[in-house]
Amino acid sequence: MSEVHFDSGGVRCAAVHLPGQGYAFAGGDGRRPCVVLGHGLGGTVDSGLLPFAERFSAAGIDALAFDYRHFGASGGEPRQLISVPRQLEDYAAAIAFARTLEGVDPERVVLWGSSYSGGHVIPVAVTDGHVAAVISQVPNMDGIAALLNLARYAGPRQLATLVLAGLRDLAASLRGRPPVMIPLVAAPGALGAMTSPDAEPGYRAIAGSSWRNEAAARLALNAGTYRPGLQADRLPCPILIQIADQDAIAPPKAAQDAAWRATGRAEVRTYPIGHFDIYRDKPFERAIADQLHFLRRHVGAPAGKGAVAQVG
């Protein structure tokens, strides 16, 4: 594993590159597919992404996991700012960088997103037009559905409080002041972007040293307008959508609707778990096994080229 970086919008984004091991996915030219991994709301590479990247590498696939600007080891000010346009730009820059990595087949780049980035991968794939496959894990496909869900489990007062905090943060930004922060996760009844019973313990269970439990509150102002699942009918490639049936964060129906829009290109796997369970223990093992099965069928050794024969 090596630490690397790439430029996105004039900001240095940090990433880790894990070359694929062995020859299982190598074409006749020796090049391998590469999975580009981006995290969910406020997530960082060291908070649940590395176990997936390591499994891809062990299977023979390169993995590039990156931090969005404003988060983790990446640059960007102010810190902890969630901007959908910037994150989509960062994802596109990560794809472009992955295609330049030694040993990577630029025609076999795969997008991998979880939670918030499980939605990102759809518009990014649509815009790119040349990615080979997409993996969308416990995805947030519809901001309106997510906000309505939050209002159901946390109450309309919580939603109103988040919007007011967002307005205060927006006003602070216009005056050149530091962001007004809200917790990413909090206990039920407390202020936070995610306050379902499993949110705080689930996120903290995977949190790495670079993760911070806060984000600029303005994220609440635009959350409802971001509906990436509506673009699923324009996907240029196969997509694996992994749905947690007991997901209290990302509504399962929105993911199912996105799969329906991608009919003919979508494969759906469901799991009897909550939103954060998929990163650990048996749910992780099941999820990564399904992902590798999907990748073997869609980005295996290119037809007509043959796999590289192992020598020695």
Side-chain angles (χ1 to χ4, degrees), residues 3-95:
E3 296 182 358
V4 295
H5 66 272
F6 57 89
D7 178 88
S8 179
V11 176
R12 178 183 172 118
C13 287
V16 293
H17 173 221
L18 290 76
Q21 303 172 26
Y23 302 91
F25 282 80
D29 56 6
R31 295 189 296 181
R32 304 170 299 270
C34 183
V35 177
V36 180
L37 299 92
H39 215 320
L41 196 73
T44 50
V45 166
D46 62 358
S47 300
L49 292 196
L50 285 178
F52 289 95
E54 289 167 352
R55 289 296 186 89
F56 293 138
S57 174
I61 306 167
D62 280 45
L64 180 74
F66 70 97
D67 284 337
Y68 295 109
R69 71 181 95 169
H70 307 290
F71 288 89
S74 291
E77 295 291 339
R79 304 305 294 169
Q80 304 299 114
L81 174 64
I82 296 173
S83 164
V84 169
R86 294 181 188 182
Q87 291 194 351
L88 298 182
E89 185 179 11
D90 295 348
Y91 215 123
I95 294 168

Side-chain angles (χ1 to χ4, degrees), residues 29-292:
D29 56 6
R31 295 189 296 181
R32 304 170 299 270
C34 183
V35 177
V36 180
L37 299 92
H39 215 320
L41 196 73
T44 50
V45 166
D46 62 358
S47 300
L49 292 196
L50 285 178
F52 289 95
E54 289 167 352
R55 289 296 186 89
F56 293 138
S57 174
I61 306 167
D62 280 45
L64 180 74
F66 70 97
D67 284 337
Y68 295 109
R69 71 181 95 169
H70 307 290
F71 288 89
S74 291
E77 295 291 339
R79 304 305 294 169
Q80 304 299 114
L81 174 64
I82 296 173
S83 164
V84 169
R86 294 181 188 182
Q87 291 194 351
L88 298 182
E89 185 179 11
D90 295 348
Y91 215 123
I95 294 168
F97 178 71
R99 287 179 171 138
T100 70
L101 291 170
E102 183 177 358
V104 167
D105 183 348
E107 296 180 0
R108 290 191 288 159
V109 170
V110 177
L111 309 190
W112 184 103
S114 190
S115 191
Y116 211 48
S117 67
H120 286 352
V121 291
I122 289 183
V124 172
V126 168
T127 299
D128 182 90
H130 299 289
V131 297
V134 171
I135 295 172
S136 177
Q137 177 179 280
V138 293
N140 184 352
M141 290 290 190
D142 190 318
I144 290 178
L147 287 180
L148 290 174
N149 186 60
L150 185 150
R152 280 194 293 269
Y153 75 72
R157 179 175 294 183
Q158 171 82 312
L159 187 57
T161 302
L162 287 171
V163 171
L164 288 174
L167 292 171
R168 288 172 50 221
D169 182 37
L170 179 60
S173 71
L174 295 175
R175 294 170 184 165
R177 295 179 179 175
V180 174
M181 297 289 186
I182 58 171
L184 285 164
V185 289
L191 178 64
M194 295 175 279
T195 60
S196 63
D198 64 333
E200 186 169 21
Y203 215 147
R204 290 193 181 279
I206 63 170
S209 60
S210 71
W211 181 76
R212 290 164 50 183
N213 187 23
E214 61 180 5
R218 71 196 74 169
L219 72 91
L221 301 180
N222 299 315
T225 63
Y226 185 48
R227 309 180 71 190
L230 297 182
Q231 298 185 44
D233 61 335
R234 298 166 54 195
L235 277 168
C237 61
I239 181 171
L240 172 64
I241 301 178
Q242 296 175 294
I243 302 172
D245 285 343
Q246 300 167 25
D247 201 323
I249 303 296
K253 186 178 184 303
Q256 293 163 357
D257 290 345
W260 181 84
R261 292 186 185 93
T263 297
R265 294 174 298 283
E267 299 179 23
V268 177
R269 298 290 181 272
T270 60
Y271 312 89
I273 59 174
H275 186 78
F276 290 97
D277 296 330
I278 203 164
Y279 297 96
R280 303 171 65 226
D281 304 327
K282 289 183 179 179
F284 164 78
E285 296 294 342
R286 176 66 184 275
I288 191 65
D290 288 342
Q291 291 172 17
L292 288 171

